[in-house]
Structure formats: C-alpha cells, structure tokens
Amino acid sequence: MKQGIGCYLRTHRRLWALKEKELAFLLGYQSASQVSRLEKSKRTPKLRVAIACQVIFGIPPATLFPNLYEKVEKDTMTRIYQFYQGIEHGSTSSDLRKRELCEVALKRAVEGSKQ
Amino acid sequence: MNTKRGENLVLSLYPTSRGFAFALFEGPESPVDWGVKDIKGRKKNSDTLDAIQKLFEQYEPEVVVIENTDVKGSRRSARIRRLYRSIAHLAATRNAELQRYSRQEIRATFGAVGGTTKYEIARAIARQIPAFAPRLPRLRKLWMSEDPRQSLFDAVALAVLYLQSAFSGRGCELE
C-alpha cells in the first residue's frame, strides 16, 4: 500500500528552519516530542493546533494534514449518505433543503477527488 | 503541494564515506524531506541500504535519482559503486524509475549559473531554494575535509537536474 506523505508539518517546519522545540513553543506544546508525534502522524492534531499551524504557515489543515483530511472526509461522506437515505422520501421544505446540502457536499467531495 | 500520495515524488540519493544524503522533491523547488544520515560500522553498505529501504517504505517515490559512476573520470570508490548497484536493484524491485547523472552533466547544467565547483553549485542551489540556505557549508580550504552538509547539496543537485529535464519548458530553469 502506498503511504506517501500523510503530513506536511515536518516539511514546512524545515522549510522555515524551525527546530521541533521552537515549533512546540509556537504551537503551545510543552515538549518537542509532541511535535515529533504530530509529524509522524502518530497523533491527531487538535483543532486548536490545526488552526495554530494555519496561523504560523498560512496553510489550511486540509493541505497540511492530507491523510487526516481524507479519513475525516470519507467518514463524513458515509454519514452524509446514510442521512440522505433517511430523508430521501421526505417532502417538507426542510427535507428538500437538507437534501440540497447533502448533494452539494457530495458534489464538492467528487470535485475535490478529481483535482 | 496537496498532490496524491506517493505520486510525483523524486528521491535523490548521494552516498558518501560517512553515510548518505537524500532529498525528496514533489516538484521543482518543492522539497518535501531532506537530510544527511550518518552510517558507521563495518556493514556500511547493508546499513545504508536498510536506511534507504525505510525511505522507500515511507514515501514510495516514483523516481530515484543517483549518480552515474560508469562514465570515464568518475572517482567514486568500489564500495560506493557496489552500493549504487544495490540501490538500482532496490529501485527496480520497488517499481521506481531510475535516473542517473554524471558529475560532468551536473557541472554542465549548473555551469550556466556560474556553478562549476561543488561549493558554487551548493551556493546556486541555496539561492534557488531558500530552504537549503541555512545548510550551506563554509567554503572549504585546502587543508579542510569536506563538510558533511555538502553531500546534501550533491543529492539536491541530482534531483534538480532530473526535475529540470522533466519540467523543461514549463518555467523551471535555473536562475
């Protein structure tokens, strides 16, 4: 199975000549080992840390953590499909609106996978 | 930078007497990972191959770039030549395309930007890709041995050469 690059945090840290300890300080971590675990995808970044990464490097979490994004997207799309099936035959205006949301999300995911 | 995993990754390797240097690129001027690994002990080649194998497993590169030591004038040792043959075999078993460039080809390419010596080539790379600027070694004097960081620039030069030929005509020229 291809692994490739699941997390670009190490790349961007090194592009800017930052040490693990320095990035740990910027992210509000106590030690460099926490950054190391993030970089090796051994730990899932918390929302606060993902936003801090975007603030520091100017790169959105979806680009910085592609593996994580892919996993969350897949799980969410599965739930969206289940939700869609539940409201498929509903005829109220709110059901129509919810169906529209599901279709838009599905279309976005398909377009994203083509890129 | 958000490409499909494992695709378009170019791994260049430059073994030395003290280990090896590697550079992984996703595209021209897009380094992903790089470093110099120290390998000590009596089983240098097998330990180096183990470390390279780990890189293959981690990144699954599409292209592997190494130095061509079969040309006349190559001054690499018999051990390094054997190691290059093993790397070529490893790349083949991993279905990675193998590209080889001689020192002459590197010098000819970087000669256009005033890089003829190893140090000048390293300086040209540091100018082109700022991420490597902090790793630029000091200018070597006659009595000094080569800085280990120099091997990193030798590896990067191989990758740049490949990427330049692969992306030629798409705005990827040395400045």
Side-chain angles (χ1 to χ4, degrees), chain A residues 5-24:
Chain A
I5 302 152
C7 171
Y8 283 98
L9 190 60
R10 177 180 156 87
T11 302
H12 288 282
R13 173 176 66 77
R14 298 185 77 206
L15 280 175
W16 294 102
L18 284 172
K19 291 175 185 155
E20 279 184 357
K21 199 178 169 184
E22 291 165 336
L23 183 59

Side-chain angles (χ1 to χ4, degrees), chain A residues 10-111:
Chain A
R10 177 180 156 87
T11 302
H12 288 282
R13 173 176 66 77
R14 298 185 77 206
L15 280 175
W16 294 102
L18 284 172
K19 291 175 185 155
E20 279 184 357
K21 199 178 169 184
E22 291 165 336
L23 183 59
F25 170 74
L26 294 175
L27 292 176
Y29 278 144
Q30 298 299 313
S31 76
S33 59
Q34 289 168 293
V35 171
S36 175
R37 281 197 284 273
L38 261 190
E39 288 181 350
K40 290 173 185 164
S41 300
K42 286 181 181 171
R43 172 182 283 192
T44 306
K46 288 183 177 171
L47 181 61
R48 187 185 60 81
V49 171
I51 292 170
C53 287
Q54 180 164 6
V55 170
I56 295 165
F57 300 113
I59 294 161
T63 309
L64 210 52
F65 306 100
N67 265 11
L68 176 66
Y69 181 81
E70 207 173 283
K71 188 182 177 302
V72 172
E73 186 188 42
K74 193 181 163 194
D75 294 347
T76 310
M77 288 317 296
T78 306
R79 286 194 298 270
I80 286 176
Y81 181 67
Q82 286 167 356
F83 181 70
Y84 184 85
Q85 282 182 318
I87 55 166
E88 202 171 11
H89 303 294
S91 55
T92 63
S93 61
S94 71
D95 283 341
L96 287 173
R97 190 78 181 130
K98 285 170 200 166
R99 275 212 298 273
E100 195 182 336
L101 170 71
C102 293
E103 283 160 6
V104 167
L106 182 67
K107 195 178 165 193
R108 211 165 32 225
V110 170
E111 280 169 3

